[in-house]
Every structure is written in structure tokens, then in C-alpha cells.
Amino acid sequence: MTDVPEADRPGSSTASHTDALLDRLERVVGAAHVITDPDVRRSYEVDWTGRYAGEARAVIRPASTSEVVEILRMCHAAGCPIVPQGGNTGLVGGGVPVDEGRGAIVMSLRRLDRRDAVDLVSGQVTVGAGVTLAALQRHVRGAGWDFGVDLGARDSATVGGMIATNAGGLRLVRYGGMRQQVVGLEAVLADGRRVERLGGLLKDNTGYDLAGLMTGSEGTLAVITRARLRLVAPQPNRAVAVVGLNTLADALEVVVALRAELTTLDAVEVFFADGLRLVCERAGLRPPFEVPTAVYLLIETADRPAAPDPAHTLSEAIARLGPRLVVDASIVTEPAARRELWRLREAHTEVINALGAEVGAPHKLDVTLPAAALVDFVDRVSDLVATMAPSAKLFLFGHLADGNLHVNVLGPDADDDRVDDAVLRLVVDLGGSISAEHGIGRAKRRWLELDRGPVAVEAMRAIRRALDPRAILNPGVLVSPDGIAAP
Amino acid sequence: MTDVPEADRPGSSTASHTDALLDRLERVVGAAHVITDPDVRRSYEVDWTGRYAGEARAVIRPASTSEVVEILRMCHAAGCPIVPQGGNTGLVGGGVPVDEGRGAIVMSLRRLDRRDAVDLVSGQVTVGAGVTLAALQRHVRGAGWDFGVDLGARDSATVGGMIATNAGGLRLVRYGGMRQQVVGLEAVLADGRRVERLGGLLKDNTGYDLAGLMTGSEGTLAVITRARLRLVAPQPNRAVAVVGLNTLADALEVVVALRAELTTLDAVEVFFADGLRLVCERAGLRPPFEVPTAVYLLIETADRPAAPDPAHTLSEAIARLGPRLVVDASIVTEPAARRELWRLREAHTEVINALGAEVGAPHKLDVTLPAAALVDFVDRVSDLVATMAPSAKLFLFGHLADGNLHVNVLGPDADDDRVDDAVLRLVVDLGGSISAEHGIGRAKRRWLELDRGPVAVEAMRAIRRALDPRAILNPGVLVSPDGIAAP
């Protein structure tokens, strides 16, 4: 906080601050919602992995868009950095203050939790940025609809945070990510001016797609306060299969065939023999087949209530793939049995983290490869890790239909990112993305230009500068705001 | 062309110009592709409605991205405005030079017509900006796929132009518009720097969505040179119904019910008794029912080859709506019969234009209303036209499932836009969009701020300024580049 004038330095945790800006902010949101007590601040200053942490001048918790407007006006005038925060479930350090250097304020949007009635005619809903995914799901399911994005952190992740990071999740193959669900946004620009487009219009060619631009911008272009979201028809008629295969190439052939045949594919996940072995050992799960295979697909279909027997449809589609591709398969429909199969895939994260508690935290990379390069990538990343870190363990799993693999490397020290660097360079060489769904945040900033190229990064920087000339919105995140004048 | 220095003024149509810039451009694309002959230029200078026309310094026809790069470098250095043009099928004057005032050059992208092989694994294809929609359709259908957007101008409209205007078309209810088909772009910024992201990655959270931003930006942010497009599985198993109803409210209830029940809805179009009467009289079509109804829906479903009888599925769904909603219905599957029903809707444009040739060109507005405001809008727009122009004729038709109505007013003089203004103000009052699919171009510029509000328009202008500081890309289109320094 070296740049902060003495008078503007963070004050005590009592109601009356030596910090004039915080005094003014208290008049906007009330003293209870300008948090300076270090113990209370802490949960907003550290991300949930514990890897990214810093110190905020204060945490402010507005309850309405007009309070957000007032806060940004004041912070813009004072040149005070703002770190917008939702459920603080991010993985790349994009929602916590780390290195702002000007006494950043964390703005938690969780109190913007209004849920408007579901619009049954359009199949849309308008909600506040602070509504959690779980609360959104309960709300729309109560009205006979569902939401197209689902992910593990549903109890904490907020709509605003999910939009700011363009969250993907478990059903992207069917419904797309958050960008595909956002029909409109209300957001507040860095200087406190509000933009709003919440009419839910499906066709609207009136200039640049500002909502699409803000989606995935990681809090650097505006603070999202409300969203109009499209809903999807519920598909309760579900079947889950685990399919064992000999090679990843076979798995890709299965994906292509199933996509062409089934309109009901909700998820196609992949994991491998070594990951499954770890999951079964450590999470006490039963392997799906007596004889292990090299590659596993977890496939979920979901259909309307009146649809014919989903297990039959899925098992026929799998049978048509033939024994050349399918070594073994297990198909279930009962909720408990479906959950049990899903655990095989979902437990990967926890058992890898548990192993990391013993041998050192896993290096986690979240990458997309073009479909045509996936097999090559898996071969080469295995060789690469074996060569660079012979004692390291590599676990891969992910969303195969999206080309999205989670690369987990256990072994190298936490601050030794040579393997990370080599893996990400391999991804870029093969035409992939260094961040499939987690975003850039702080964690991937140094690789952004490698991936997107200098022209695209400079274009992003120019856009950022245009919308936030004082660089107060999440300045440490995404593209460095070089050339942006400090106020 | 008052700002153009004498030496840079448009020259003759011979190979050697008095215009130094054109001489340099000829060395890039060859003399045959820098067109200055007024007769040849003409088809590039006038839009197909004949309403928007101007004079270009020249028309340039690059054959590759690297030629586009060179052209933009030179024009940027010279401060010469560029009007990018695809198939010149736009309706809002966004692709022709009108009022640039600095001797604009039209850049036709039609020679960028390369079609790469369809990627069968990802279901995607990369094509040049100049590929027409019809050529794209032939290309991907030959590989067992289809493209999600279709529209009447398919033989002329190009992929680049459709992306620049975020074209919607006939099947938006199922697949979305162009923005939903674009997986990646190659584009050239105003100063000749190239950005490219053509890997076809479905999950890619590496900064701002530049491709999405360029989609719908009407040639003001970059010149699109190539696109990676998602394809859809062919749905050849089609059924078409015309349904007669008593009220628009009933029609909306039908849309909601069918959307909830059918995953195969490809189109839901609406037209009214007076439009149908005109179509039957002038295009010699047979009315679908003996007794006319007030409102008609044209519904198309499309399913996979192996799907059960589509006419049966559709007719059962319509039967379940019951006689309270459905006055009459006709369902067909044979291609000739389907085309005949579609003619009832598609012939609206031509018969209204033909009537316009007698009474004066129709004022055409293309608006979206929130679903909840559609009935109110139709009532009020009828009253409004009857009050303001008692002798005028009003015809409405459109894409009901998208809330998109085409408003045609015949009667007021071509340059009398008081009714247009009143209708667009009504649209904005009701929370709608003044341009559903045609874009802003020149035609709707004066209403853009009314619709989007001053903050959003200023944000657009700031983005435009950031990416094209000399305002050479389509300067007369979309947001006026106020405050952008002329070179």
C-alpha cells in the first residue's frame, strides 16, 4: 500500500475511521457492511485453495445496484482499486486482493441476492449477482424450469462470479457455458455509470454485445449486478453409463458417434486407469468392471419426462458402437446408482488433493485441446512429465466432449512451475487453450500472451483502458493495465 | 471528399492513377482488383434496396488475409476510410459508402472464398469471409453436416457479412444466430494487425471474447477474414404446419406449449389475416383454410433420419393444444407441400414490396419485443399508425418464437419518418429492441441512443476508439465516432 497517502490508509475496525474514503463508504452501505476487522476480512482476502491471499483496506458489502454505483463513484474519484468478489470459489486468484499496491477494497456482491419471478412465457429469469447457483436452481426448478450450467461449487458460487468467469461446468456439451445462458446484464462501469439490458430479447442487433464482452472479463470491465438468464426445460429422465475402452482414440470415436446419434447427451467425462485406481483406493469406491481398462468414459443422458426408457436408448446406442470400441459398459438409471458412477469421476479432485497433502500440493492446469490434437497431447504430456520430473505423478481427467482436460502434476515444489510452463507451451503448440474454464486471474497471466498472441492481448488492454481508464477494477487480474495512468 | 488532399483524390479508371494510394494498393492486389470504373463500381456503391448509395474512391478486392493486412496498413497510414462489404445484402446501409467524406474505399471480401475440409471429429469448419451461405451449406452438407443459420439471401450473403451483422434468420429458435455459430475468427484490425483464433475450442477462458465482440459490430472494429463455425447434425425429417388462431395471445400460448413439448422446433413464424389476403391475391397462393382466421402460425419441426413420423408427432402436439386455441390446422411433410406452406409466409416481403411500387416504398422496421409485451405492442402499433397516418397500410409478420416482428408501413413518403420514429419509441417504451436482426447501419443510428441509453453508447464509442483510433473502419455506421481524431 505504498502509494496510499497517509490520510487514506486503512483505519481501525471501529465505526469511525481515520480513513476518509471508508467513512464516506459507510454512509452508503452502513457501518456493518464496511469490514475492516482483520479476522472478519480474512475469509474475503484468501481464496479457497489458500494459494492466493492478500490484505484489503476493507471489505464492502453493498445491498443494491445503487449502492454499487455510489461505491464505484467514490472509489473512482479516489483512485481506489476494487476487487469484485462473488462466492470466492475461483481457482486462479482472480477474486482476492494480492498485489494491488494501492489499498484495494474487496467488494462482495453476495447481498445482491434478489430473485425475480420466473418469466414462464420466455423461459427466463432475472436475478441479482449474489444469488448462488444452488439458490438459482431451487428457484427455477420450483417454477418448472432448470438452469443449463451446473458445477460442484453450486452452494457457494454466485451468478455474478460465474458470469465474470464464464463458468463452464458439467453440462457444457449440451447447453454451453455461462455466456450462452446470459440474455442480458445490468452492470456498473468503473466510474459508477450503469448499463442495463434486462428485457430478455433473443434477437437484438443494436451495437456491440457488451454483455458478452463482460462475461468472462473477470471483473476488469465492470461490476455485474444483475443478470437475465435463459432457462432450459427440465430433463429428469436420466441414464448414466461408464464405458471402458482401450485407447483415448477409441474414446474420441465414441464421442463423435454418440453426438451424432443422441440429442440428449448431458455429459461425456473421461478418466484413466491410474486415476480410477487412486479413487478406488482412497475414496473406498468399487471399480466399475472386474478387469480394468486403460480409459473410461462417464456418459450421462437426460430426456423429458415422457421420453422412452433412457437406459434402453443409451444401451442400444452403446451396443451399436460394437466390441471393437467398447470393452465393457455399465448403465444405470436409479438416482443412487447414478451418483455412485458419478463419484468415480468427481472423487478425482478430492483424492488428488489428499495425496497432495502428503507429497506436496498438485499443480493443476485446466486446458482445452482441439479434438484432433487430444491423443497427441496425452502422449506428449506423459513423456514430458516423465522426462522433466521422473518422480512426479500425473493424473488427467476432464470433459472429453469439450476437449477440456484437467492436468494434475504431483511432485514439483509449489513454487517450481517449470513443468507447468512446459505443459502450457505444449498446449499452445498444439493449438489449445491454456485456460479452459478457470480463467486467467493471476495464476495464468504470464502465459496469456503466449496463448493469445501480442495483438489480441494489446486489443484487450486497449478495451480495458477504454472502459476503466484509471484501472481501478481488479487491476492485478487478466491483462496488466500497462500504460493506464494511475490517478 | 473535402478532406482529401489533392494528390490522394480518386483518379481515373485506368491502370495508372493520379491517386498515389490506389497505385500502391494496385501493387498489393493487382490492377484488375482496384476498380475505379464508375460502371463497375456501381454495384458495390448501392445497396440492394437502392435506398443507400454513395460514391467510392475505388473498390478493392483482396484475395487473401495478407492482402487485407497490406491494404489496411496503407489505408490506416493514409487515413483513408474503408467500407468492408460482403454480399451487399444488408438492409440498413451498413455496407455501402454514403457519407464518409474522405473518399472511402469499398473493400469487397468476396474473393476470400476458401472452404477448408469439414472437421468431422469436432463438427466444425473453417471458411473464408467471402464464402456465400449457399456455398457453405453445399460444402458442409456434402460432408454429412448442416449449418444452423439459414436465410433468404443465401445465394449472395457471405459468411463475413453475416458475422459482421450477427444475422439471425429462419431457425434462430433452435440454433441461435451467427454469434452462436462462431467458434473463432481471424480478423484484421484497423491498422493491419491480425488476430486469429481458429482452433475451434469450445472452452476457452483466456480473456475477453474478441470474436463475440466483433460479431455484430458491423465492420467498425475489424475486418473479418476467416471464421471457424460450428455445424449441426442434419435434420431431414421435416413437418410443416399452418395453424389458424383467433388472437395473438392464443398464438403465444401455443408457442410456449410447443417449446415445452418439442425439442425439434425449427421455426415458429407468425402472420395475420390482412397479410395473408394480400399474399393470396398478389402471389396467387391458395389460402390454407376455407374460413380465414385472425392470426396464423407457421410451424416447422425437423428431426433426425431415424426419428418417428414427424407429421404424427407434430399433429399430436397440435391436437393436445385443443380447440380452445386451435381453430384450424394443416400439417404436411412432402417437400413440395412444405414449400407451398412456407410461401404463405415468405411471399409477404415480395407482395408488400410490389404494393410499395404502386403506393410508395414501404417503411420497414425490424423489432423485437419481450414476450410479455407482444400483444400490447401489436394493439398499440395498429392504433398508432391509424392515428398518425389514417390512409396508411400496416402489415406485420415475423419470427414469433424470437419476439421478432417485421413492421411494414405503406403510405408515408419515403423521407417522412415520423411514423417510424413513433413506432420505435413505442418499442423502446415496451422494453424492446429497435433492430432485431438487420442491425443499426446508417438507417437506425439516430435511434440507437434512445434504445441502448447514453452510457452503453458511450461505452461502444470508447471501445471503437480504442480499436480504431483513426476511425477508418466504416466510420458512417453504428455509433458516430465523435471525438475520434481525423488523421
Side-chain angles (χ1 to χ4, degrees):
Chain A
M1 286 174 275
T2 48
D3 295 347
V4 184
E6 191 67 30
D8 270 2
R9 288 261 173 99
S12 73
S13 62
T14 64
S16 180
H17 302 283
T18 56
D19 184 324
L21 176 61
L22 296 191
D23 283 342
R24 291 198 301 277
L25 292 172
E26 277 193 0
R27 287 197 286 275
V28 176
V29 296
H33 297 294
V34 177
I35 300 164
T36 51
D37 179 335
D39 293 338
V40 184
R41 263 176 19 213
R42 195 68 189 148
S43 71
Y44 298 89
E45 291 172 334
V46 187
D47 80 340
W48 74 274
T49 68
R51 191 160 169 200
Y52 294 93
E55 213 172 309
R57 184 171 175 174
V59 175
I60 191 161
R61 300 170 12 103
S64 67
T65 302
S66 54
E67 289 183 4
V68 173
V69 164
E70 285 304 311
I71 293 165
L72 283 170
R73 272 187 198 151
M74 289 175 180
C75 289
H76 186 256
C80 174
I82 290 282
V83 176
Q85 188 181 91
N88 196 10
T89 61
L91 286 160
V92 291
V96 289
V98 175
D99 46 12
E100 275 64 25
R102 286 182 277 151
I105 291 176
V106 171
M107 174 154 42
S108 169
L109 281 306
R110 280 183 245 177
R111 291 176 70 214
L112 273 66
D113 59 357
R114 202 173 94 185
R115 288 157 294 170
D116 290 358
V118 172
D119 179 341
L120 299 173
V121 178
S122 65
Q124 298 175 353
V125 69
T126 301
V127 297
V131 171
T132 65
L133 174 57
L136 172 68
Q137 288 172 334
R138 282 193 301 273
H139 180 59
V140 304
R141 286 173 187 163
W145 289 86
D146 201 353
F147 186 62
V149 172
D150 193 17
L151 42 78
R154 61 185 73 81
D155 290 317
S156 304
T158 61
V159 166
M162 290 172 68
I163 294 172
T165 56
N166 186 31
L170 305 170
R171 308 197 295 191
L172 187 128
V173 60
R174 183 159 189 167
Y175 300 112
M178 284 302 283
R179 186 172 286 120
Q180 284 74 43
Q181 321 308 317
V182 171
V183 192
L185 289 183
E186 177 191 73
V188 185
L189 300 179
D191 60 5
R193 289 178 302 155
R194 190 175 66 97
V195 289
E196 189 213 285
R197 195 78 171 163
L198 294 170
L201 307 175
L202 295 178
K203 276 170 111 165
D204 178 24
N205 275 340
T206 52
Y208 308 155
D209 179 17
L210 297 180
L213 179 64
M214 288 169 186
T215 303
S217 68
E218 304 190 12
T220 64
L221 298 181
V223 174
I224 294 164
T225 47
R226 280 200 292 168
R228 179 82 173 179
L229 301 170
R230 83 169 171 119
L231 304 176
V232 299
Q235 311 284 349
N237 215 341
R238 289 176 179 271
V240 173
V242 170
V243 178
L245 308 116
N246 287 320
T247 66
L248 183 61
D250 287 353
L252 282 165
E253 208 176 319
V254 168
V255 173
V256 172
L258 292 181
R259 277 187 125 150
E261 195 162 345
L262 300 171
T263 50
T264 53
L265 272 186
D266 241 36
V268 184
E269 303 284 308
V270 69
F271 48 92
F272 296 87
D274 50 357
L276 179 67
R277 200 159 46 233
L278 187 73
V279 158
C280 291
E281 274 169 32
R282 297 207 161 225
L285 303 182
R286 203 158 46 91
F289 311 125
E290 282 195 20
V291 181
T293 59
V295 183
Y296 297 85
L297 286 179
L298 184 139
I299 298 158
E300 178 155 23
T301 61
D303 210 340
R304 305 205 168 198
D309 177 16
H312 181 71
T313 310
L314 180 54
S315 85
E316 284 216 319
I318 290 171
R320 273 194 292 278
L321 298 168
R324 179 179 67 82
L325 289 174
V326 175
V327 179
D328 211 338
S330 165
I331 298 156
V332 302
T333 55
E334 286 303 309
R338 287 193 271 124
R339 272 196 300 275
E340 199 178 317
L341 290 189
W342 263 107
R343 279 284 291 155
L344 297 172
R345 157 69 179 83
E346 288 188 325
H348 272 71
T349 307
E350 68 199 54
V351 300
I352 289 168
N353 287 347
L355 183 59
E358 298 162 19
V359 303
H363 293 242
K364 289 170 185 270
L365 301 169
D366 161 47
V367 301
T368 306
L369 279 302
L374 268 167
V375 171
D376 196 18
F377 173 74
V378 170
D379 286 347
R380 288 168 67 178
V381 79
S382 306
D383 290 351
L384 185 155
V385 172
T387 307
M388 290 185 71
S391 64
K393 281 192 157 59
L394 170 70
F395 294 101
L396 299 170
F397 58 92
H399 315 288
L400 190 63
D402 320 325
N404 179 191
L405 288 178
H406 297 296
V407 178
N408 290 257
V409 182
L410 292 114
D413 287 344
D415 53 358
D416 174 2
D417 61 8
R418 283 172 299 174
V419 171
D420 307 52
D421 184 63
V423 172
L424 295 179
R425 284 177 189 278
L426 174 61
V427 168
V428 171
D429 282 349
L430 292 172
S433 165
I434 60 161
S435 185
E437 54 181 354
H438 298 164
I440 298 297
R442 291 178 165 80
K444 303 283 175 60
R445 241 171 52 178
R446 63 174 273 217
W447 292 285
L448 178 62
E449 189 163 313
L450 173 76
D451 185 347
R452 297 293 300 265
V455 179
V457 170
E458 186 43 53
M460 291 182 208
R461 195 174 279 132
I463 292 167
R464 180 173 191 166
R465 226 179 270 142
L467 294 185
D468 180 14
R470 293 187 150 198
I472 67 163
L473 292 177
N474 234 1
V477 163
L478 199 50
V479 279
S480 68
D482 293 347
I484 300 192
Chain B
M1 286 174 277
T2 47
D3 296 347
V4 183
E6 191 65 32
D8 271 1
R9 288 262 172 99
S12 73
S13 62
T14 64
S16 180
H17 303 282
T18 56
D19 184 323
L21 176 61
L22 296 190
D23 283 341
R24 291 198 301 276
L25 292 172
E26 277 193 0
R27 288 198 284 276
V28 176
V29 296
H33 297 294
V34 177
I35 300 164
T36 52
D37 179 335
D39 294 338
V40 185
R41 263 178 15 216
R42 195 66 190 151
S43 70
Y44 298 89
E45 292 172 333
V46 187
D47 80 341
W48 75 273
T49 69
R51 191 160 170 201
Y52 294 93
E55 212 173 310
R57 183 172 176 175
V59 175
I60 191 161
R61 302 172 8 105
S64 67
T65 303
S66 54
E67 289 184 4
V68 173
V69 164
E70 286 304 312
I71 293 165
L72 284 169
R73 272 188 200 151
M74 290 176 180
C75 290
H76 186 256
C80 174
I82 290 282
V83 176
Q85 188 181 90
N88 197 10
T89 60
L91 287 160
V92 291
V96 288
V98 175
D99 47 11
E100 274 65 24
R102 286 181 278 151
I105 290 176
V106 171
M107 173 154 43
S108 169
L109 282 306
R110 281 183 245 177
R111 291 177 70 215
L112 273 64
D113 59 356
R114 203 174 91 183
R115 288 157 294 170
D116 291 358
V118 172
D119 179 341
L120 299 172
V121 178
S122 65
Q124 299 176 352
V125 69
T126 300
V127 296
V131 171
T132 65
L133 175 57
L136 173 68
Q137 289 172 333
R138 282 192 301 275
H139 180 59
V140 304
R141 286 173 187 164
W145 289 85
D146 202 352
F147 187 62
V149 171
D150 193 16
L151 41 77
R154 61 184 73 80
D155 290 318
S156 304
T158 61
V159 165
M162 290 172 67
I163 294 172
T165 56
N166 187 28
L170 304 170
R171 310 198 294 192
L172 188 128
V173 59
R174 183 159 188 167
Y175 300 113
M178 283 303 283
R179 186 172 285 121
Q180 283 73 42
Q181 320 309 316
V182 172
V183 191
L185 289 183
E186 178 191 73
V188 184
L189 301 179
D191 61 5
R193 288 177 304 155
R194 191 175 66 96
V195 288
E196 191 214 281
R197 194 78 170 162
L198 294 169
L201 307 175
L202 295 177
K203 276 170 110 163
D204 180 23
N205 276 339
T206 51
Y208 307 156
D209 180 17
L210 296 179
L213 178 65
M214 288 169 186
T215 303
S217 68
E218 304 191 12
T220 63
L221 298 181
V223 174
I224 293 163
T225 48
R226 282 200 291 168
R228 179 84 173 179
L229 301 170
R230 84 168 170 121
L231 304 176
V232 299
Q235 311 284 349
N237 215 342
R238 290 176 179 273
V240 173
V242 170
V243 178
L245 308 115
N246 287 322
T247 67
L248 183 61
D250 287 354
L252 282 165
E253 207 175 321
V254 167
V255 173
V256 171
L258 292 181
R259 276 186 125 150
E261 195 162 345
L262 300 170
T263 50
T264 53
L265 272 186
D266 240 37
V268 183
E269 303 285 308
V270 69
F271 48 91
F272 296 87
D274 49 357
L276 179 67
R277 201 158 46 234
L278 187 73
V279 158
C280 291
E281 273 168 33
R282 296 206 161 226
L285 302 181
R286 201 156 47 90
F289 312 124
E290 283 195 21
V291 181
T293 58
V295 182
Y296 298 85
L297 287 179
L298 184 138
I299 298 158
E300 178 156 21
T301 60
D303 210 340
R304 305 203 167 196
D309 178 16
H312 180 73
T313 310
L314 180 54
S315 83
E316 285 216 317
I318 290 171
R320 272 192 294 276
L321 298 168
R324 178 180 68 81
L325 290 173
V326 175
V327 179
D328 211 337
S330 165
I331 298 155
V332 303
T333 55
E334 285 303 308
R338 287 191 271 125
R339 272 195 299 274
E340 199 178 318
L341 290 190
W342 263 106
R343 280 285 291 155
L344 297 173
R345 158 68 180 83
E346 287 187 325
H348 273 71
T349 307
E350 69 200 51
V351 300
I352 289 167
N353 287 347
L355 183 60
E358 297 162 19
V359 304
H363 294 240
K364 291 170 183 272
L365 301 169
D366 161 46
V367 302
T368 306
L369 279 302
L374 267 166
V375 171
D376 196 19
F377 173 75
V378 170
D379 287 347
R380 288 168 67 178
V381 78
S382 307
D383 291 351
L384 183 156
V385 171
T387 307
M388 289 186 73
S391 65
K393 282 192 157 61
L394 169 70
F395 294 100
L396 300 170
F397 57 91
H399 316 289
L400 190 64
D402 320 324
N404 178 191
L405 288 178
H406 297 294
V407 179
N408 289 258
V409 183
L410 292 115
D413 287 345
D415 55 357
D416 174 1
D417 61 8
R418 284 172 299 175
V419 172
D420 308 53
D421 184 64
V423 173
L424 294 180
R425 284 177 190 278
L426 174 61
V427 168
V428 172
D429 282 349
L430 292 171
S433 165
I434 61 160
S435 185
E437 53 181 356
H438 298 164
I440 297 297
R442 290 179 166 79
K444 304 283 175 60
R445 242 171 52 179
R446 62 174 274 218
W447 292 285
L448 178 63
E449 188 163 313
L450 173 76
D451 185 347
R452 296 294 299 267
V455 179
V457 171
E458 186 43 53
M460 291 182 210
R461 195 173 280 132
I463 292 167
R464 181 173 191 165
R465 224 179 272 142
L467 294 186
D468 180 14
R470 294 187 150 198
I472 68 163
L473 292 178
N474 235 1
V477 164
L478 199 49
V479 280
S480 68
D482 292 348
I484 300 193

